[in-house]
Amino acid sequence: MSASIRLRAFAKINLGLKIVGKRPDGYHEIRTLFQTVGLHDTLAISIAERGRGIHIECNDPSIPAGRGNLVYRAGELWKRARKFPGGISLELVKRIPAGSGLGGASADAAATLMGLERLTGDRLPLSTRSQLAAQLGSDVPFFLWGGRALGIGRGEEV
């Protein structure tokens, strides 16, 4: 079995951001209004029964290709959660500038989780998917939904 999918991972802006305090975990407690915009990265995901690793290619040489990449880490978390024995190949075409505050890496990570579910037809329960997304980053859960949403907590509560 081999399958692939191509997805867009849309950028976001914060329409407002209010820091309401410091949390015991060291993060700030925030209130923000997230809004996706038309700028997007493209992610091609392929899975195969053979091969156990995760392979990632990116058109931007400044983006790490291993565990330092949120797309790679999303693939790892999903593989572990689903006990998926096969290999995953990821091809990332970056258009969202890295470090711009537009959420490119977070959008890419969320697209990875959703793309792997679509490819396999093996959907995680919403609470589990949201927990995995929050492990990857504070705004990753928002990108599971997109559109316009209120973010609270560290931003992980949508």
Side-chain angles (χ1 to χ4, degrees):
M1 174 192 94
S2 180
S4 60
I5 191 170
R6 185 174 303 273
L7 304 163
R8 291 179 180 172
F10 290 91
K12 60 94 178 144
I13 57 173
N14 293 69
L15 296 175
L17 175 63
K18 182 175 182 179
I19 298 173
V20 295
K22 187 92 165 174
R23 297 164 47 110
D25 59 10
Y27 289 94
H28 288 100
E29 181 75 22
I30 67 165
R31 302 292 181 268
T32 187
L33 192 57
F34 295 123
Q35 173 67 58
T36 51
V37 295
L39 180 64
H40 66 275
D41 292 342
T42 303
L43 182 65
I45 306 170
S46 300
I47 57 171
E49 287 181 5
R50 294 182 190 209
R52 299 200 177 274
I54 298 173
H55 175 75
I56 183 167
E57 292 181 23
C58 182
N59 68 322
D60 183 340
S62 72
I63 304 295
R67 293 180 195 268
N69 187 306
L70 278 184
V71 167
Y72 185 96
R73 290 182 26 221
E76 279 186 318
L77 282 175
W78 182 86
K79 270 183 70 109
R80 206 171 310 127
R82 299 322 290 161
K83 298 179 177 59
F84 181 73
I88 300 172
S89 293
L90 304 146
E91 183 182 333
L92 179 59
V93 177
K94 290 295 293 173
R95 291 181 191 92
I96 304 169
S100 63
L102 298 173
S106 296
D108 299 337
T112 300
L113 293 174
M114 293 184 301
L116 288 166
E117 287 187 349
R118 288 181 193 163
L119 277 174
T120 61
D122 188 7
R123 302 222 182 236
L124 292 163
L126 178 57
S127 61
T128 304
R129 186 181 320 122
S130 296
Q131 288 170 356
L132 291 180
Q135 287 178 47
L136 293 164
S138 294
D139 58 357
V140 178
F142 163 72
F143 288 105
L144 297 174
W145 302 100
R148 183 178 297 159
L150 176 67
I152 60 173
R154 297 185 336 244
E156 85 287 6
E157 296 177 49
V158 181

